[in-house]
Amino acid sequence: MGTQGEFQDLYRHGFARVAVATPAVRIGDPAHNAEATAALMQEAATKKALVCVFPELGLSAYSCEDLFHQQALIEASEQALKDLLAQTRKLPVAAFVGLPVQVDGLLYNCAALVNRGRLLGVAPKTYLPNYREFYELRQFTRGDIAVAEEIRLAGQKAPFGTDLLFRHAELPKLVLFAEICEDLWVPAPPSTFAALAGATVIANLSASNVVVGKHQYRRELAANQSARCIAAYLYSAAGTGESTTDLAWDGHAMVHENGSLLAESRRFATEPQITFADLDLDRLAADRMRQGSFGQSMRRHAGETTRFRSIEFSLPVPRGRLPLQRHVARLPYVPDDPATRDARCEDVYRIQVQGLATRMRASGTKKLVIGVSGGLDSTQALLVCARAVDELGLPRSNILAYTMPGFATSTRTRSTAWQLMRAIGASAEEIDIRPSCLQMLKDLGHPYAKGRKVYDITFENVQAGERTSHLFRLANQNGGIVVGTGDLSELALGWCTYGVGDQMSHYNVNASVPKTLIQHLIGWVAQAGGFDAAVKKALQRVLDTEISPELVPGGQRTEDTVGPYELQDFHLYYTLRFGYTPAKVAFLAQHAWKGKYDLKAIRKWLGVFLKRFFETSQFKRSAMPNGPKVGSGGSLSPRGDWRAPSDGNATAWLADLARVPKD
């Protein structure tokens, strides 16, 4: 994957392009419908999709009713399938198409998988609706009572049954299964057991008429099934051309991936439609691997899953420059949608407050000790302290807040800290740590104590350690607990002083909150957190301050050393949440951050991240204090989401990073 062309190929990074299509049909005219289907298959192949899903009974049209009892329509549908196979024999796409199929004197509502002129298999519908406006039992037979396991159709022999899995030979994570419309509406859809048997991409060929509100229910149903199955769900419903004698059709097609909607058609379109989405097959595999209950379900339902038959098919995988056509959020920990983002911030804030309040009740302490620097992390922790004592009915003066200026503390952050502590109503004090730090530097024989401007790691950590040492002794003296302020991003990068330093506290409310989310949290609290105007003004000043540890005179930017937090949080999310290879993380980052960070910058900072995360910082996380987990993006607690050896190395990850082009 060393060349740009190879690196820019989405298929080389575990993605697969799929399509859901809705042709304009003519009732009882399979020849026309086959032509319409072939045209959309051609478009799918042109756009490099591997799989395309069409609606239920799309070759005949769904709303034929008793016309399905006419032999002429059944035979014309079979001939249409035969013609479609001939017309598409050179198209590198596998398509599920719907048609009525007569087997052993019985008629079945079927999904046929066609691929480059071959009929790979035919899956009959299991559950037939026979209520309200649907009377399918009048025309069709349930698929699960069929005896035949192989049929001859459209001039070819093909496997037949409700137990067919189609495995792509070149992409082993792409395993297809088809169910039909009502199969999704039952308590235990066939796709549930197909997923447990290995299916990762589920196709639903549907008719599904539209009534008020049904499209939303349909969307939720498909989303939930994709989430339960940890699979992709490709749904295509009948649209224009179907009979409106008693019903209406909206041509609703959509693609879900593990609960997330990736793409959706325009409803009520009067022209043919095709909708594309790029599936992340690696994500599905990673989630199944991590969710132990999925494997337990496989064991529990072994009787249902072992009956499935696997059919391998070969289909050329597109190669070359093929950019990703999928939204990838720049800030995966922060929702793009403002309303969703506000709800996320509220949840995180409440979790932090509940965690701290519970710890106070359990320990019997009524006082909190916290260091306030005027920066992002200590500000958010102070806000949590304020709300926690409010909930416990304690005065905010029980928050013992200290600002502790060192050798490089700026006037701005010092005054901001004071402004914030006073506005919150905490018991605010200042302790100048420079005399005690200077004494320690003298004891160590450090050059700075002799007047030399040596600002090394010892110089920095003496200050960080002195602050923490003061806080713990103040907690002893006042019968309180030290509230930690370090965040998830700093823990991931090892950007904290171990032991007697900012790595340690009695309880760390920010432990699983990344830096990018903390910025939004403070902004949300400023607007909706119930604090007065003075607090809001102080919070805005914090948000306007550049991120710096302020340990070295002359200016110190954290991101010059560890990299941009927004980019490192991106790397952390996809490394921690899904275990992606560095090359895939870089591919996603380039797609998400196009226009701000080029591939060279991404490669550089990802290398810094990998080295710090996998090799130099785990010992700090192995001894981290308690703190509440706030999101599904994970935490780094050694008792929960991340258990790793402290003496590991980053060799394998750095080797994979070398696959990323240098320019």
Side-chain angles (χ1 to χ4, degrees):
M1 200 190 297
T3 68
Q4 274 286 355
E6 292 174 331
F7 182 76
Q8 302 300 342
D9 179 358
L10 67 91
Y11 282 99
R12 292 184 182 273
H13 295 282
F15 290 95
R17 182 162 295 166
V18 298
V20 283
T22 308
V25 300
R26 290 176 59 180
I27 297 170
D29 190 350
H32 169 273
N33 298 336
E35 291 285 348
T37 299
L40 290 176
M41 285 179 64
Q42 176 64 62
E43 186 174 350
T46 301
K47 296 291 180 61
K48 309 299 184 184
L50 283 183
V51 180
C52 189
V53 177
F54 289 86
E56 179 179 11
L57 295 169
L59 291 185
S60 58
Y62 175 80
S63 51
C64 290
E65 299 188 271
D66 282 353
L67 297 183
F68 286 119
H69 287 158
Q70 298 292 311
Q71 196 64 33
L73 181 63
I74 297 171
E75 292 178 0
S77 297
E78 181 176 1
Q79 182 61 46
L81 177 62
K82 187 174 183 179
D83 294 342
L84 181 66
L85 288 166
Q87 292 177 54
T88 61
R89 65 182 182 276
K90 294 184 179 180
L91 294 183
V93 62
F96 282 106
V97 297
L99 75 161
V101 177
Q102 192 173 23
V103 179
D104 297 334
L106 301 175
L107 190 64
Y108 296 93
N109 178 346
C110 294
L113 182 60
V114 301
N115 170 30
R116 294 189 298 170
R118 290 184 56 217
L119 180 61
L120 296 178
V122 181
K125 187 173 183 176
T126 300
Y127 295 98
L128 304 179
N130 212 50
Y131 55 87
R132 292 197 291 271
E133 63 267 27
F134 296 108
Y135 307 99
E136 285 189 33
L137 282 173
R138 181 182 175 97
Q139 291 101 21
F140 296 103
T141 301
R142 282 171 40 195
D144 60 343
I145 68 171
V147 175
E149 293 190 343
E150 186 179 74
I151 61 172
R152 187 167 185 84
L153 182 67
Q156 299 185 30
K157 286 185 178 180
F160 178 77
T162 60
D163 56 351
L164 304 181
L165 298 181
F166 302 94
R167 298 180 180 273
H168 193 290
E170 291 80 16
L171 296 176
K173 293 177 184 176
L174 179 61
V175 183
L176 307 175
F177 175 77
E179 60 187 8
I180 302 175
C181 200
E182 187 74 11
D183 290 344
L184 174 61
W185 263 257
V186 300
S191 57
T192 299
F193 305 106
L196 293 175
T200 57
V201 178
I202 299 161
N204 188 308
L205 292 73
S206 180
S208 190
N209 71 304
V210 62
V211 292
V212 174
K214 187 176 182 180
H215 74 283
Q216 181 61 37
Y217 179 74
R218 193 191 288 141
R219 185 188 294 128
E220 292 170 355
L221 203 60
N224 288 334
Q225 184 64 358
S226 76
R228 283 193 298 268
C229 293
I230 313 182
Y233 204 90
L234 282 55
Y235 185 99
S236 183
T240 187
E242 292 286 358
S243 172
T244 56
T245 301
D246 289 307
L247 304 174
W249 316 87
D250 62 352
H252 191 192
M254 52 191 164
V255 178
H256 286 86
E257 179 187 280
N258 196 8
S260 299
L261 179 64
L262 297 186
E264 192 170 24
S265 68
R266 180 169 60 88
R267 297 171 59 230
F268 299 108
T270 56
E271 67 282 347
Q273 281 198 97
I274 186 165
T275 303
F276 295 91
D278 292 343
L279 302 181
D280 190 343
L281 300 177
D282 287 343
R283 178 182 180 182
L284 299 175
D287 281 343
R288 286 186 177 184
M289 181 173 64
R290 283 165 172 74
Q291 186 171 310
S293 55
F294 188 88
Q296 293 172 38
S297 295
M298 293 173 63
R299 176 73 175 176
R300 172 69 176 79
H301 297 286
E304 289 282 349
T305 60
T306 54
R307 68 181 181 85
F308 283 89
R309 291 177 283 163
S310 288
I311 300 160
E312 186 175 273
F313 68 101
S314 182
L315 188 60
V317 178
R319 293 303 182 197
R321 187 178 290 269
L322 188 59
L324 193 63
Q325 293 181 359
R326 169 185 173 122
H327 174 67
V328 178
R330 285 185 167 185
L331 305 177
Y333 292 103
V334 183
D336 291 334
D337 176 63
T340 305
R341 184 167 60 243
D342 286 348
R344 175 75 55 83
C345 287
E346 181 176 6
D347 278 351
V348 170
Y349 185 48
R350 288 180 178 274
I351 291 169
Q352 290 180 291
V353 170
Q354 185 204 45
L356 181 57
T358 300
R359 178 53 54 93
M360 292 178 72
R361 291 189 190 99
S363 64
T365 187
K366 298 188 182 304
K367 293 186 178 181
L368 302 173
V369 177
I370 183 171
V372 181
S373 68
L376 291 168
D377 297 334
S378 63
T379 295
Q380 177 60 21
L382 181 60
L383 293 171
V384 172
C385 290
R387 188 58 69 215
V389 296
D390 288 351
E391 290 200 2
L392 294 173
L394 299 171
R396 290 189 184 173
S397 58
N398 280 25
I399 303 171
L400 310 182
Y402 300 88
T403 186
M404 293 177 279
F407 296 117
T409 301
S410 67
T411 301
R412 177 184 177 85
T413 55
R414 179 171 171 268
S415 62
T416 300
W418 270 108
Q419 181 184 6
L420 188 60
M421 293 187 297
R422 286 169 174 157
I424 287 291
S427 296
E429 292 189 38
E430 181 174 303
I431 298 175
D432 186 347
I433 63 168
R434 288 174 293 182
S436 55
C437 287
L438 186 57
Q439 182 59 53
M440 180 172 285
L441 290 169
K442 288 179 180 178
D443 295 341
L444 296 174
H446 192 276
Y448 182 82
K450 300 174 183 178
R452 295 168 58 190
K453 295 181 180 180
V454 176
Y455 307 129
D456 57 9
I457 191 68
T458 303
F459 178 82
E460 294 187 42
N461 283 349
V462 161
Q463 297 172 78
E466 195 62 37
R467 287 178 176 133
T468 303
S469 180
H470 273 78
L471 292 174
F472 271 98
R473 301 298 74 80
L474 287 163
N476 293 154
Q477 185 173 329
N478 292 280
I481 60 173
V482 177
V483 177
T485 61
D487 63 43
L488 180 69
S489 307
E490 292 177 344
L491 284 167
L493 294 164
W495 192 247
C496 53
T497 302
Y498 182 71
V500 185
D502 54 327
Q503 177 259 355
M504 188 49 62
S505 63
H506 288 118
Y507 194 77
N508 186 2
V509 295
N510 292 338
S512 66
V513 188
K515 187 78 73 178
T516 47
L517 182 55
I518 284 197
Q519 293 171 312
H520 289 276
L521 268 173
I522 293 173
W524 176 83
V525 173
Q527 297 302 316
F531 292 99
D532 61 23
V535 174
K536 293 179 181 179
K537 184 177 180 181
L539 295 182
Q540 188 56 55
R541 192 174 187 194
V542 171
L543 291 172
D544 293 339
T545 301
E546 188 173 65
I547 299 172
S548 171
E550 293 193 329
L551 295 172
V552 174
Q556 184 182 20
R557 295 184 71 256
T558 299
E559 292 174 309
D560 289 343
T561 302
V562 299
Y565 274 117
E566 59 188 9
L567 191 56
Q568 298 297 41
D569 278 0
F570 186 96
H571 297 153
L572 173 62
Y573 179 83
Y574 286 102
T575 300
L576 181 62
R577 177 68 176 81
F578 301 113
Y580 285 166
T581 64
K584 180 162 184 173
V585 174
F587 176 73
L588 289 169
Q590 183 190 36
H591 178 73
W593 288 100
K594 186 178 181 180
K596 184 164 186 180
Y597 298 111
D598 59 19
L599 190 58
K600 182 179 180 180
I602 291 167
R603 195 179 192 275
K604 171 189 173 181
W605 292 120
L606 181 53
V608 171
F609 172 83
L610 296 172
K611 187 78 172 177
R612 297 185 74 98
F613 184 79
F614 287 106
E615 196 163 288
T616 65
S617 305
Q618 179 57 36
F619 73 98
K620 298 180 181 180
R621 299 188 288 265
S622 294
M624 62 184 282
N626 293 176
K629 177 180 176 180
V630 302
S632 60
S635 75
L636 291 172
S637 168
R639 299 166 295 277
D641 283 8
W642 185 251
R643 304 180 187 189
S646 294
D647 48 3
N649 68 79
T651 302
W653 290 267
L654 293 174
D656 189 83
L657 181 64
R659 299 193 300 147
V660 179
K662 293 183 179 180
D663 49 33

